[in-house]
């Protein structure tokens, strides 16, 4: 997907074009490349409690800086809970408590100085059920840039909206009805709108919580295609209950079982040569 | 700082974040402020009512040596009821108080002296005793009679002793007498039983809420007997039996709208239909109760429907599978299970009816009633109406009694609501 | 008299129950026992209920007839009719009761009929309200033209008792009343809308469960306080407080004023707005909140940009219900707003409202046909129509809103 160059790109760092191509792309790549193989997140002994019950029992894991990492496991295994650790969405649940260290680029995201609101701007999230705001398509995408002050002019905002929608592969379908409500779109379109909404904030990471579970197969295929393109620019974590999906879109896969991280490896290895019996049972369909 | 500098970590973003956090805090404080404002008003209301009202629960009485002078009361010595009815008991009281201060001889002074006690209160008290036992005539009794409301207010500290005499309701001389009586213990404060056993009166020191309370209870009883069965019946019909058609929709819309009709309109209905069309008596608790019943009907219906809905429909299926008819399933299983909710809704509806004033004004339950009503068709008042009537009088003694009546009303309402909450939590079944 | 008739019907009905039950017991005992089809259909008790209903209804019919046309029937005739009807009920039950008689079906039919009748009470009440208001209002408009009533600027309903009384011609221009009502409602909503909404927002988005559990009942107490208590509070405390406050600035404000009555009424309405808005805000799906938080929005940003717009229709509905409450509220204004029909835009003056005028026109001695009394019904009609329209609109908006998130 090639972005048209526009003259509203500002170079002062307030607004970085979302997924730019050409010169600006190089700039973005430069930022990323030196540490491409380093971990984006490093987790040590992460535990999550809901009230008194422990949902995650000490997870140690490193998430690669690029590519797609899939979290799989039977329902109730804690994979979604784990995903919500990375953007501190668990903070919004009363009684939920997270312990252990989660370092993002070496910085503890649960540190005292970290504002979860700003963290969430850096770590976007896409939910299981598409949740567009009951606003126009345009306002849905523009909402994030507006609250974070990413655009100083309307034309700049238009630019961000357009780029984000293009990047999410939705532009051609909605460009003539940007003023219509986002809730009027189909499920697959809504989910891509929500991704565009997340992209518009210029995150570094995108968390996806079973993003295809509410979609039909065709919309799912489109979404997977999109994830495949996005992985070039973003560190993506995806929770999925579909092993086929994990195999298709991810480079690395982590298998969770009853709140424990059982196995974490290249996707290839997990699916062809699982080392743990539980993993094997799960991927061969004996449990689940 | 990390290796990657996100735009969200730029100085500008951080600065902006400080501002956003400030907005967030302000927003939150506004919300908290609103909550506090509401609590403050509630506290203000409570404090202002209790502050004015608590003194009405005690009252000053004066111990008086009363000589039931035969020459005054019954000069013929026949001791029959006829003579006693005509007798001048007022003079007996006057003589009694003049005897306490023999030094006072001037007429105007004497008249001021008499104003220390409640004239009609003391007179009535002696009269009642003489009626009940004519043999008392000729004897000397030691009685505790209520002081006048001005003396009572003075001793409760509501009359400014330093104010110029002309702007006071009580003269310097009277203050001297009262203080003397207080010092000797002849004037004492005691619990104000009259407030609970008495009926409405022109004199605040004799006024009580018993008549109004009985009137309220009667009206409430009528309202309960009419609105709970009708309301529960309507709710059961609409929830369980009503076919899906326009008539049912019409009933539903009706009920929803009735719930929001201003209460005074129900009063107009009562006036036009019950009083003028059916010719029912004015000021009667029967009519008041009927009006309140119609007013609370939607509350009972809505609460009952909610209670019925919260019962699992599987109960009905279970009963039907055993061969029960639909009616049996509803009345044997669903209604009993919904009973706690129905009860709660009924109590809340009755509490609402108890506090209602406006419709009762329309049907004339606003009369000056000096007897405890003895029947549903007798003229009566109601507690909220009594509050309204008393609130109109400017004297401090009335304000005090109005507040006290409000305290009683609120206590009853709080008790009813607490009972409703208690029953709900106690009897509620979790599904 | 009425009580005696009821008692008579009740006793006959009770007698019929035992009669039917015993009869059924003896007849069903003789019925064949065995296969499904020849077993008795209903339990003896249902036969008893059937007889009781039948007799009771027959008695009621006669009693209603007697009450409706007291002139047509004298006491003796009525008693004869009653005995005949009740006897007929007994006789019919005697013939019907038996193994083959489906008493339960009949009884259930009676029960459903009675339940339907109960629902009918609500409908009858509405009809009663509409008919009595419209009927009396029409009589009023025979004396005072509708246009004069709706557009007249002068309200002095005291009609002249003697010919020579001046200035007592009886003017029924309701505009000052409407403006007074409007002003007090405006003051009330000015207090209740922001506070109620902010409380709803605070309780649903910020307060901990504990705080919410403590604060919510306290706010709701405000809704349970009888209006006569608020009226006294306005008269005794708030009115003088406002007067004292204004005197501090050199203004003279009467104790009874639009602002005193309106602000206390606002306090009364706070819980309606806060609990309705609370429901509405809670009905906004959590996924929308999550979506906004995940983009890095703060709670206040989420509230103002996402939740509030999504909940707006419901909140408007809540506000309209609040307005309807304010317009129909009586006691606070009767006690604290004054009675003089001032045509003024100044909230620090005494004004009057529709409800106040209804009360002052109808309390005290009155002849029912005078324009003065009938005017109260015309005002009642205005009040009823106004609140009805507001409620219908509010309910429609709220219902539409609910459907959106279901």
């Amino acid at each position: 997907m090639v972005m048209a160059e526009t003259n509203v790109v500002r170079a002062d760092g307030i607004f970085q074009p979302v997924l730019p191509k050409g010169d600006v792309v190089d700039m973005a790549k430069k930022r990323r490349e030196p540490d491409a193989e380093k971990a984006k997140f490093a987790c040590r002994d992460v535990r999550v409690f809901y009230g008194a019950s422990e949902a995650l029992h000490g997870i140690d894991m490193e998430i690669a800086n690029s590519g797609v990492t899939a979290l799989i496991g039977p329902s109730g295994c804690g994979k979604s809970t784990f995903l919500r650790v990375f953007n501190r969405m668990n903070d919004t649940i009363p009684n939920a408590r997270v312990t252990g260290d989660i370092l993002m680029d070496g910085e503890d995201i649960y540190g005292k100085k970290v504002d979860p609101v700003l963290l969430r701007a850096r770590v976007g999230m896409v939910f299981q059920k598409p949740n567009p705001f009951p606003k126009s398509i345009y306002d849905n995408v523009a909402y994030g840039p507006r609250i974070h002050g990413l655009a100083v002019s309307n034309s700049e905002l238009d630019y961000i909206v357009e780029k984000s929608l293009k990047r999410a592969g939705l532009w051609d379908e909605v460009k003539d009805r940007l003023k219509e409500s986002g809730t009027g779109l189909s499920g697959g379109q809504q989910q891509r709108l929500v991704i565009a909404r997340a992209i518009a904030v210029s995150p570094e990471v995108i968390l996806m919580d079973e993003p295809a579970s509410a979609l039909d197969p065709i919309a799912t295929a489109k979404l997977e295609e999109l994830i495949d393109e996005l992985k070039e620019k973003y560190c993506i974590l995806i929770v999925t209950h579909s092993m086929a999906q994990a195999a298709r879109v991810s480079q690395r896969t982590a298998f969770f079982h009853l709140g424990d991280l059982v196995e974490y490896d290249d996707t290839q290895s997990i699916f062809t040569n699982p080392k743990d019996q539980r993993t094997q049972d799960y991927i061969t369909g004996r449990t689940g | 700082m990390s290796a990657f500098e996100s735009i969200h970590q730029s100085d500008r973003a951080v600065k902006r974040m400080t501002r956003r956090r400030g907005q967030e805090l302000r927003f939150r404080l506004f919300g908290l402020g609103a909550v506090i404002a509401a609590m403050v008003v509630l506290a203000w209301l409570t404090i202002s009512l209790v502050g004015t009202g608590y003194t009405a629960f005690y009252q000053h009485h004066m111990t008086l040596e009363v000589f039931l002078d035969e020459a005054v009361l019954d000069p013929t010595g026949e001791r029959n009821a006829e003579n006693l009815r005509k007798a001048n008991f007022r003079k007996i009281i006057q003589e009694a108080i003049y005897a306490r201060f023999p030094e006072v001889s001037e007429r105007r002074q004497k008249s001021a002296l008499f104003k220390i006690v409640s004239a009609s209160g003391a007179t009535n008290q002696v009269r009642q005793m003489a009626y009940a036992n004519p043999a008392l005539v000729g004897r000397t009794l030691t009685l505790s009679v209520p002081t006048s409301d001005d003396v009572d207010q003075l001793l409760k500290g509501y009359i400014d002793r330093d104010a110029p005499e002309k702007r006071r309701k009580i003269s310097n001389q009277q203050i001297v007498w009262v203080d003397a009586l207080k010092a000797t213990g002849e004037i004492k404060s005691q619990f104000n039983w009259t407030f609970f056993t008495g009926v409405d009166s022109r004199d605040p020191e004799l006024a009580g809420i018993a008549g109004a309370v009985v009137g309220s209870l009667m009206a409430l009883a009528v309202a309960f007997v009419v609105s709970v069965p009708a309301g529960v019946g309507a709710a059961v019909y609409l929830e369980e039996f009503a076919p899906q058609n326009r008539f049912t929709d019409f009933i539903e819309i009706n009920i929803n709208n009735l719930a929001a009709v201003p209460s005074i309109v129900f009063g107009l209905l009562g006036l036009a239909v019950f009083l003028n069309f059916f010719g029912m008596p004015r000021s009667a608790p029967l009519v008041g109760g009927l009006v309140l019943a119609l007013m609370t009907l939607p509350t009972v219906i809505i609460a009952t429907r909610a209670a019925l809905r919260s019962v699992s429909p599987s109960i009905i299926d279970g009963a039907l599978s055993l061969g029960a008819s639909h009616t049996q399933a509803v009345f044997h299983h669903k209604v009993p299970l919904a009973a706690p909710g129905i009860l709660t809704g009924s109590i809340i509806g009755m509490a609402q009816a108890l506090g209602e004033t406006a419709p009762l004004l329309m049907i004339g339950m606003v009369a000056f009633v000096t007897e405890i009503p003895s029947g549903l068709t007798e003229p009566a008042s109601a507690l909220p109406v009594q509050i309204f009537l008393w609130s109109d009088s400017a004297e401090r003694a009335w304000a005090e009694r109005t507040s006290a009546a409000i305290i009683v009303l609120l206590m009853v309402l709080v008790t009813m609501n607490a009972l409703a909450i208690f029953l709900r939590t106690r009897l509620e079944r979790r599904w | 008299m009425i009580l005696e008739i009821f008692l008579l019907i009740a006793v006959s009905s009770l007698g019929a129950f035992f009669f039917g039950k015993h009869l059924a017991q003896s007849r069903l005992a003789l019925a064949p026992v065995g296969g499904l089809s020849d077993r008795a259909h209903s339990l003896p008790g249902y036969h008893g209920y059937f007889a009781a209903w039948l007799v009771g209804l027959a008695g009621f019919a006669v009693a209603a007839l007697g009450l409706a046309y007291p002139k047509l029937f004298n006491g003796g005739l009525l008693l004869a009719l009653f005995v005949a009807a009740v006897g007929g009920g007994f006789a019919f039950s005697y013939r019907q009761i038996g193994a083959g008689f489906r008493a339960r079906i009949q009884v259930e039919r009676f029960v459903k009929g009675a339940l339907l009748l109960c629902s009918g009470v609500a409908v009858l009440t509405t009809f009663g309200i509409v008919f009595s208001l419209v009927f009396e209002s029409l009589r009023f408009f025979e004396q005072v033209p509708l246009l004069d009533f709706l557009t007249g600027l002068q309200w002095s309903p005291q009609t002249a008792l003697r010919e020579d009384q001046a200035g007592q011609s009886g003017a029924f221009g309701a505009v000052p009343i409407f403006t007074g009502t409007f002003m007090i409602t405006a003051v009330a909503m000015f207090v209740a809308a922001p506070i109620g909404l902010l409380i709803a927002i605070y309780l649903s988005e910020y307060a901990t469960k504990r705080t919410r559990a403590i604060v919510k009942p306290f706010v709701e107490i405000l809704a349970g306080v009888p209006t006569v208590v608020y009226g006294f509070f306005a008269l005794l405390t708030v009115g003088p407080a406002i007067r004292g406050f204004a005197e501090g600035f050199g203004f003279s404000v009467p104790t009874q004023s639009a602002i005193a009555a309106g602000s206390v009424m606002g306090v009364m309405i706070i819980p309606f707005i806060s609990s309705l808005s609370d429901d509405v805000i809670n009905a906004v799906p959590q996924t929308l909140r999550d979506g906004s938080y995940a983009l890095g929005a703060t709670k206040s940003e989420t509230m103002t940009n996402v939740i509030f717009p999504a909940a707006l229709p419901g909140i408007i509905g809540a506000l309209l219900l609040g307005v309807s409450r304010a317009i129909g509220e009586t006691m606070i204004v009767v006690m604290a707003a004054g009675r003089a029909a001032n045509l003024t835009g100044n909230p620090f003056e005494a004004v009057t409202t529709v409800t106040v005028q209804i009360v002052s026109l109808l309390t005290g001695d009155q002849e029912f046909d005078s324009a003065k009394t009938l005017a109260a019904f015309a005002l009642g009609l205005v009040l009823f129509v106004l609140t009805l329209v507001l409620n219908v609109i509010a309910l429609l908006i709220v219902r539409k809103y609910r459907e959106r998130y279901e």
Side-chain angles (χ1 to χ4, degrees), chain B residues 20 24 27 32 45 48 230 233-234 237 241 254 258 260 262 268-269 272 276 325 327-328 355 357 391 403 406 413, chain C residues 46 104 108 115-116 118-119 122 126 128-129 132 202 206 226 228 232-233 237 296 298-301 335 362 368 387 391:
Chain B
R20 287 171 64 197
E24 169 75 8
F27 193 73
L32 189 62
L45 177 76
S48 113
Y237 177 77
F241 298 107
N254 249 306
L258 271 188
L268 289 173
L269 169 78
N276 289 326
S325 71
T327 313
Q328 285 173 323
T357 319
S391 74
S403 299
I406 287 175
L413 289 178
Chain C
Y46 277 105
R104 202 198 70 232
E108 287 178 356
L115 293 180
L116 180 62
C118 290
S119 317
T126 309
I129 289 173
S132 54
Y202 186 79
Y206 287 103
V228 70
F232 186 64
F233 178 57
T237 312
T298 61
K299 276 191 171 182
S300 61
E301 286 161 352
M335 293 163 84
L362 287 184
F368 201 71
T387 51
N391 286 314

Side-chain angles (χ1 to χ4, degrees), chain B residues 16-17 20-21 23-25 27-32 34-39 41-42 44-46 48-49 52 229-238 241 247 250-251 253-266 268-269 271-273 276 282 294 297 301 323-328 331-332 351 354-358 361-362 366 384-385 387-388 390-392 398-400 402-403 406 409-410 413 417, chain C residues 43 46 104 108 111-112 115-116 118-130 132-133 136 194-196 198-199 201-203 206-207 215 218-219 221-222 224-230 232-233 235-238 241 267 270 296-301 303-304 321 324-325 327-331 334-335 339 354-356 358-360 362-364 366 368 373 376-377 379-381 383-384 387-388 391-392 395 399:
Chain B
R16 191 182 154 81
M17 196 61 225
R20 287 171 64 197
R21 280 289 171 204
Q23 279 173 354
E24 169 75 8
L25 184 69
F27 193 73
R28 195 191 169 118
L29 288 180
F30 272 130
L32 189 62
V35 171
I36 291 173
M39 297 298 100
V41 173
L42 185 60
W44 189 22
L45 177 76
T46 317
S48 113
L49 288 176
T52 13
V232 173
V236 170
Y237 177 77
L238 290 174
F241 298 107
F247 183 65
F250 179 65
I251 297 178
I253 293 169
N254 249 306
I255 290 167
N256 283 335
N257 283 330
L258 271 188
V261 169
S263 61
I264 193 168
V265 172
F266 286 95
L268 289 173
L269 169 78
L271 175 59
V273 173
N276 289 326
R282 262 178 86 80
L294 295 183
L297 194 63
I301 294 178
S325 71
H326 188 91
T327 313
Q328 285 173 323
F331 281 97
H332 294 172
L354 177 60
E356 198 53 68
T357 319
L361 301 184
M362 297 292 97
V366 60
V385 178
I387 290 166
F388 170 60
W390 286 353
S391 74
D392 232 11
W398 282 119
E400 174 183 295
T402 313
S403 299
I406 287 175
L409 177 64
L410 289 182
L413 289 178
N417 281 294
Chain C
L43 292 172
Y46 277 105
R104 202 198 70 232
E108 287 178 356
V111 168
K112 277 184 211 170
L115 293 180
L116 180 62
C118 290
S119 317
V121 175
V123 180
L124 275 182
T125 308
T126 309
F127 277 127
I129 289 173
V130 171
S132 54
L133 291 181
E136 307 293 351
I195 295 186
L198 282 170
I199 289 177
I201 290 171
Y202 186 79
L203 289 186
Y206 287 103
V215 169
F218 272 105
V219 174
I221 286 180
L222 288 175
V225 172
T227 55
V228 70
V229 176
Y230 278 119
F232 186 64
F233 178 57
L235 189 66
L236 177 84
T237 312
V238 178
V267 172
I270 287 174
T298 61
K299 276 191 171 182
S300 61
E301 286 161 352
M303 189 66 225
T304 48
L321 287 178
S324 149
R325 281 263 157 196
I327 292 176
E329 170 45 37
T330 308
M331 293 320 291
V334 166
M335 293 163 84
R339 300 210 166 175
V354 173
T355 48
V356 171
I358 294 176
V359 169
S360 65
L362 287 184
T363 44
Q366 32 166 285
F368 201 71
T373 349
F377 284 89
L379 289 174
L381 185 64
L383 184 65
F384 179 72
T387 51
L388 188 72
N391 286 314
V392 169
L395 286 177
R399 185 175 301 170

